[in-house]
Amino acid sequence: MRLGAAPHQTLLDRPARLRGMALLALLLSVLFILGWMIWRNLERLDTIHAYVGYSHRIQNAGLDLQQALMDQIASGRPLKAERLREIAKKIRDLAGEEAHLSPDTPEHLRQVNDALSRAGGLAPLPEETELFQALRAMNQILNSETDQRETVLEGINRNTLGELELATATLAGILLLAWVFLRRRILAPLHDLRRLLLNLADEDYSPIETEGLDPLLLPVFNSYNVMVKNLGELEETKRRYAESLEAEVRSATRALLEQQRSLARAEKLAAVGELAASLAHELRNPLAGIQMSCANLRSEIGDPDQAERLDLIGEELKRMTRLLNELLAQGRQVPTPPSEFQLAPLVRELLALTRYQLPPQIALDYDIPDDLACFLPESNLRQALLNLVLNAAQALDGASGHIRLSARIEDGTLSIEVYDDGPGFGDQILTLGIRPFGTGRASGTGLGLAMVQRFARELGGQLRLANHLPHGACVSLTLPAGKPS
């Protein structure tokens, strides 16, 4: 056992090595069969090449002899001894080689050589001459060699076909055994593993039994069991995290709604304070006139009793003026300083938080360039947009609908438009304009649009209301977006 190797790992290495050696033996067997067939065919080709070459040389010698005979007949003179010796030398060389197929070929070649030796210098005979006898003998030799070569070729062809059939059957058997082994021991378990992996898409994290599995695939299925166990734990962790996140979102939503209700109450009180401040401002002037009139009347009256009464009235008027001044001082607000920021991220975060306050059937989206920058009080703008979105959602009254924000900058002016496909604004608000506590809904406060309008006016902008066809409302908020020069 290797140092540090697990026992089950060592047990699994043995069948893996045995199968690897078996596969290597099969490959070597195939290579041996193919090599043996190639070597046998090359050896046969060499033999056939030698036989064919020997036959061609016999044929060439016979052609030389035939040509010599034709020359002798045509000229009527005996052949030269030198030419006959040249032909006889070729015949002797052929007789001395072992490339013949017929066992009678060497003896026939010697007979041809003897006939050529006797024909040297002799005159042609009227019938059969020695040359004719030699030519007939060469033809017999050539025919005999051709017959023998055909016989040898037929035998080689039969042997080659038999060896080819044997090799094909052997290879087919090897491939069949390999396919059966691969299908039953490799492909079938892998197909089962593929089906199990597909079950993971259905969140089926059940482990599988590993008894009876092939030892070579056992690590794969053990790894699968470990994986599905870890996935199950991760899924449970994710579920618990999602539940806790959902609880946190619900808690944050409740807190946000509570803050929204508190803000609505604060806005209502602020509107009341604004109304009180405006009344106090308007009451100070007549009170100052009354106070001056009382002072003048006091200087003109000589009756002490009447003068005392006028002094009491003057003191009360001073107290009322002091109370009105304190009320105005309390109504003053310190404006929020502007800052430069990107509008798209602000709207994106605002809609993400607002999503939890609205019914799921209400869709929210926006169309704002990512590079749109403005120089405004960021928190006040956020609150104004929140009021517009919530006002549009309340106009839908729980029905399915769509709320969309869009913004653009032209000539240093930021234009923000909030669309909804609700019933639209009533004729009263479109005719009379936005007023605190003026609302067309039974559950509305009438302060949302009033506060947005006040915010716009404080910055030198304006708020416009309109309806669009076939139904729905559009609120346009225009503000100066650039830094003052």
Side-chain angles (χ1 to χ4, degrees), residues 55 106 156 207 219 230 253 287-288 291 309 332 404 465:
S55 298
I156 291 175
N230 294 334
T253 302
L287 282 176
Q291 188 176 3
R309 292 181 179 181
R332 293 191 182 96
R404 184 169 180 265
L465 307 179

Side-chain angles (χ1 to χ4, degrees), residues 211-222:
E211 295 183 2
L213 285 176
D214 192 282
L216 189 62
L217 296 177
L218 190 59
V220 177
F221 285 87
N222 287 334

Side-chain angles (χ1 to χ4, degrees), residues 48 81 228 382:
I48 294 301
V228 296
R382 181 191 296 268

Side-chain angles (χ1 to χ4, degrees), residues 388-403:
L388 294 179
V389 172
L390 292 179
N391 192 71
Q394 291 170 3
L396 292 172
D397 197 19
S400 61
H402 181 220
I403 300 175

